[in-house]
Amino acid sequence: MSVMNGDGAPHRAEEQNGGGDPEHSDEGNEQEVIVIQDTGFTVKIQAPGTEPFDLQVSPQEMVQEIHQVLMDREDTCHRTCFSLQLEGNVLDNFAELKSIEGLQEGSLLKVVEEPYTVREARIHVRHIRDLLKSLDPSDSYNGVDCNSLSFLSVFTEGDLGENGKRKKKGSELEQIDCTPPEHILPGSKDRPLVPLQPQNKDWKPLQCLKILTMSGWNPPPGNRKMHGDLMYLYMVTVEERHVSITASTRGFYLNQSTTYTFNPKPANPSFLSHSLVELLSQISPAFKKNFSTIQKKRVQRHPFERIATPFQVYSWTAPQVDHAMDCVRAEDAYTSRLGYEEHIPGQTRDWNEELQTTRELPRKNLPERLLRERAIFKVHSDFAAAATRGSMAVIDGNVMAINPGEETRMQMFIWNNIFFSLGFDVRDHYLELGGDSAAHAAPTNDLNGVRAYGAVDVDGLYTLGTVVVDYRGYRITAQSIIPGILEREQEQSVIYGSIDFGKTVVSHPKYLELLEKTSRPLKVQRHPVLDDKSEAVELCSSVECKGIIGNDGRHYILDLLRTFPPDLNFLPVEGEELPEESRRQGFPRQHRHRLACLRQELIEAFVEHRYLLFMKMAALQLMQQKANKESKATAALTENGGPQAATLENKGEGGDATATTNGSAPPSPMATENGACESPESSEGKAGEENIPGLAQAKELAETVAAEDGTADLKSREVVQNACKAVGSISNTSFDIRFNPDIFSPGVRFPEGSSEDIQKQKQLLKDAAAFLVSCQIPSLVKDCLDHNALPMDGATLTEALHQRGINVRYLGTVLDFISKTPARTQLDHIYRIGIYELITRSAKHFFKTYLQGVELSGLSAAVSHFLNCFLSSFTDTVAHLPADELVSKRKNRRRRNRVPGGGGGDNTAWASLTPTELWRSIVSEASSYYHFTLHCETVDQAVEKYGLQKTTLLREISIKAGIQILIKDYNFDSRHKPAFTEEDILNIFPVVKHVNPKASDAFHFFQSGQAKVQQGFLKEGCELINEALNLFNNVYGAMHVELCACLRLLARLNYIMGDYSEALSNQQKAVLMSERVLGIEHPNTIQEYMHLALYCFANGQLSTALKLLYRARYLMLQVCGEDHPEMALLDSNIGLVLHGVMEFDLSLRFLENALAINSKYHGARSLKVALSHHLVARVYESKAEFRSALQHEKEGYTIYKNQVGEAHEKTRESSEYLKYLTQQAVALQRTMNEIYKNGSSASIMPLKFTAPTMASVLEQLNIINGIIFIPLSQKDLENLKAEVQRRQQLQEAMKSEEQQEEESPLELEHKLTAEQERQSAPTGAEVLEQQASA
């Protein structure tokens, strides 16, 4: 499920509505959902100059949404300034359709042109510019307006749906060219970059106009204003005609001005028209022709290629794009415009007010919650965009500081109602904690705190909008501003917490009450600390957490950098000793700063682990008691306990009986919903619970004791007390583990009385640190060995670590652990990805400080020099300040000479960096930060020793540091010239971290849908997931990673239920969305391409399937190289499809590669390898090379025999196939002998050469992709068969009889065999691919 969480932020679902009883609320939800989806109706729309057309609308829509539709439609897209009228009455733009009287099925709405204002004229020009640029990808390359790239349509040649139905199945075979380009073939070492962004033929821009820009005569003088002139435009048409245009209240017309003389009188003829497009179409034939072509193409594109993404995605490569004149872009650059400011009255937005008001919206029922979540999400994504833009403006020096007199490091900025501060240690605030390193780590810790408190979502407690941006080597924190904070001194405002790390501390009853509500979900213990007068003060958070009541009366908390407890493995404390497990690994280790915290996921996993321990201990003690004593007491206990426990449970679900909700209900629902990684102990625990005798009694007992109403006897109390004590629970009567985040904070003192408690807390922290090393890291490695976790690149590896609560600073430890694992070679891929991550992160740390010393004019030269030192084999570093057309020869000489002397040359110090020095820094950084020893002194040694590839290093460092490079094939290995010149560096992008607000209800539907599917109820599952899709859509809009996961699962279900074309359409959306939201070469996108290829094949679109698989293979080679277990699956897919189109030799190359990779990563005796052998044998059989076929099939047979026994159907199938192959081989031999003996007169038996049927290829494809359906009962099976047959009859009725028969869903036939093949698949009726690979 990693993809769902985006950044792995845990989902706190049960706190959403007081932890209500899930069973009941579900039914409620389903009813509510039905209410929401009121039936749509159709209205007629009549626009000037077009035929009336029908439009499907829903009662919830606003009138404004019809406006949007009209501005997007091909025939009405050029209108922006109009009103909709129903029987002569103008409709209010912001009214919902259901509130309009007389609007019903079949009503006629008229589009009426309205007079322009300056604002409307500007909007019109902007819209026309957007239409002209609608096919131009330059906004995606430049990373603006939430545009991003997508290349799927290049490979599918347009939309999949239609093409698939038109093609004849049979005739397609002849015209496929299956040979992939050389660099995609197995074993190729060539990794060209250029194919990463294939040429999209639609992007060759059709010119409609040469120039469209604002005229120099703006704004109109007073006398012209009174004639209705709003503004003047200047254009050059394709025919080289220069025209000057007036935008007036009535529309646009030509005037008589020229570049140097102002004459606003209308030209003759003036062509007054309400739309600029109509005017231009009259004066320029080329405009008319090309504009309509562009609009046709625009409308044909898949909507998902055009919709804006919620957060900006940046591309690390781009082609050289021509820079064209663009008035709108020029205007945007010089105004503080953000998104759509001019559409909002009052110009700049009050971000804090917007962020907090959306939180305050009601959330009693589903429609309210959807509205609220949608508003929260929208404001967050707008705020992130604004904060990013502001941060860049601050670093680029375009914003005036609010304290301009101080030195640059200490400056703070306010822009557009957002407060910006730099990640430096100002006024020695963090002196004791590690200075600048601590100041750099604090913002991300703070952001994690904001995320955690935001997810708990307590009414009345407010956090600041927070975005952390890394740009050009600086870290900037952007925050919304608490009303009134700027007028007061900080000392007066803070009424809770401490502003000096615990020297003076204050508290406040209201804050304690609010924070108490978060203490259970966040596992924070309420504790007393001493203030400067040595008096005890109660806190329910860390001391740094400050409470401020804003002028708006809201209770804000900020500085949440210590929400989670410290990580003792990286915090050596004098006189404290860590547990044995940590010491054995060389902990505690010195870290850069003292802010190292445990991750929330780790806390969750640790508490869950402790809960299982608690249950086991109680059970064991009960068993002992039972053995010691007669069963009399036990009987009495259960009589009391039974009903008592029942009543208590009900209370617990209502959320009253607090004692139990934290965990005496079996592994607390919270722990599992919070996305706590299912560590092996937790999963074994669930299975193991059945085996421990007395566990049920222990649960009952825990509940009874917790009730504390005297029903439990002393003995049983003692049992619970002992168990509580053993696991470090803070309460003696129920399981409740919480942490005190202030332990080990320098400067915090605790009262005498709590010393015992402090000892307990210290022990708990040590145990948690040891748990990370002794449980979580091994569990991660085990998951990688079992292929439950399949990271492909740095980002997915980091995600896998974070899901299990392991911080990236443990990367060195993880790598050491892997290298000591017995099955080391089966972890090659993880080890290699870890090394990539280690090297590029160390390089990024260096790059950060390197960039801070570079002035703006030297930026591209500095970045290219850094990349050369990092990646190029060229060792001579003198020639790194190229004589560029901008740098005059004289200045260049002076610059170069300044470096050795260092005379005032701070700004060119970067030019003296050498590869040796850089790699030395990387090695020392790896050693000091990650405690890992790299054995390499140059990039070539690293490549050689760890089997790396330079393109991957380039991709990783570019993404991490926000570098955008020119897409071309770089020669890294030349020893004569550097790989990069400054022309190759196109841009530097910000790297942005922000909170991802969640759609809780939709997520619940999605989870229950998944659960249903896993139990084998496909239809119900399908409905729930469709519902989730609607709700996600409602909250996030049409583009989001979570929608992507939804669509993928839906496609999978459609496919299993035999609806191939529906599967294709859903999967196509998933691919497009993944490309747009995650990036064109993100591992998730690669997976989506593979699924899409399978569905294409099932729909008979063989050549498209191959193209998609080749694309996936190319991307995977770029991202992680050939040596990766996922590559085996990909190559098996390619080999099978090639076998199906009779390209036997090519097919063998891929299948044999897959066999080799499978043998390496799954062990030579695995069932996956047996299947690989069988696939290879089938191709040899088709080639009539029976000896080789026999050899491979024998290998497979041996594995089956050893693994599943002789009686198993797989073993029997294999032995049948062996017999058949032997007969064929004998027959062939006979024939050959006959020929030798009798020469040409021989009577030759016709040999059966088998070209595989498409159905058999599809069957094998399904097996290797783990598409299986194991019915839970005969009845399910019958139902499903009936369902599938019904669908087939429908399909066959629709299609003509030429449809091939074999295309029936074969999934049912090999229910169990496939389960054996896909050993890694979890048990139970399993239809999902492994989620972990996602």
Side-chain angles (χ1 to χ4, degrees), residues 595-628:
L595 291 178
C597 293
L598 296 171
R599 291 187 65 84
Q600 186 172 11
E601 297 91 336
L602 183 88
I603 303 290
E604 304 286 355
F606 177 69
V607 171
E608 191 174 341
H609 174 72
R610 280 288 158 111
Y611 176 69
L612 286 165
L613 266 180
F614 168 77
M615 278 326 214
K616 284 177 186 165
M617 304 218 36
L620 277 172
Q621 290 183 33
L622 272 182
M623 294 313 289
Q624 284 165 357
Q625 273 193 19
K626 196 171 171 186
N628 299 346

Side-chain angles (χ1 to χ4, degrees), residues 1175-1195:
L1175 297 179
V1176 174
R1178 288 181 34 160
V1179 182
Y1180 275 123
E1181 176 211 345
S1182 301
K1183 288 181 68 179
E1185 294 180 19
F1186 295 113
R1187 183 166 289 157
S1188 309
L1190 275 165
Q1191 204 178 337
H1192 279 287
E1193 191 55 46
K1194 271 184 193 141
E1195 292 275 335

